[in-house]
Amino acid sequence: MRIAIVSSSFYPEIAGRMLAVARERARSRGAEIALECSVSGTFDIPPVADALLARDDVDAVVALGAVIKGQTKHDEVISHATASALLAISVARSKPASLGITGPAMRERQAYARIRPAAERAVDAAIASHAALREARA
């Protein structure tokens, strides 16, 4: 299985750690990382995920990032819009786009605590969804 990873660099230390964990998890699960892309913020992930899923050498996309609560509800808007767009892209392409984006309503220390579980589960979800789709098509 070949996955692509697209990550948000808005919080570079968090994103870098999430990417390292996702690489480690993919390797341990026997998945090949075909491509890695970085975007500025999580809102920028869906168009790149769509382009990656359009490729024949990519079976699934893992989206990584963190949306941290500020003084407004902007974190909720970004989180919901990004998750909805990723779901729509996944359905349209009939390939998994897994959600390894933490938030909304999360503070920075919570984002750090969620690095490993979010990145690992996103890779696991991409692999499991790909297998389920293959089975459904058989």
Side-chain angles (χ1 to χ4, degrees):
M1 174 183 182
R2 298 162 308 214
I3 63 172
I5 299 174
V6 57
S7 62
S8 163
S9 63
F10 195 81
Y11 298 102
E13 190 171 321
I14 294 169
R17 289 183 187 183
M18 289 181 99
L19 184 55
V21 169
R23 287 178 185 142
E24 172 188 306
R25 187 59 155 211
R27 209 173 18 257
S28 75
R29 297 287 313 271
E32 174 190 342
I33 298 175
L35 291 159
E36 292 180 9
C37 297
S38 178
V39 296
S40 295
T42 58
F43 191 76
D44 307 316
I45 290 174
V48 176
D50 185 46
L52 291 167
L53 289 177
R55 296 174 57 118
D56 291 333
D57 62 341
V58 172
D59 298 314
V61 164
V62 173
L64 300 175
V67 180
I68 295 175
K69 175 84 177 139
Q71 294 179 346
T72 68
K73 292 190 178 213
H74 183 72
D75 61 311
E76 292 178 26
V77 172
I78 296 299
S79 294
H80 292 286
T82 303
S84 294
L86 285 171
L87 176 60
I89 290 162
S90 181
V91 170
R93 296 281 181 196
S94 292
K95 291 182 178 180
S98 70
L99 186 63
I101 300 169
T102 58
M106 185 178 63
R107 298 291 181 198
E108 192 169 343
R109 77 177 158 70
Q110 293 167 312
Y112 278 98
R114 301 282 308 137
I115 288 170
R116 179 163 295 281
E120 287 179 345
R121 289 179 185 151
V123 171
D124 291 346
I127 292 169
S129 294
H130 174 68
L133 281 168
R134 281 185 32 210
E135 186 177 317
R137 291 182 185 124

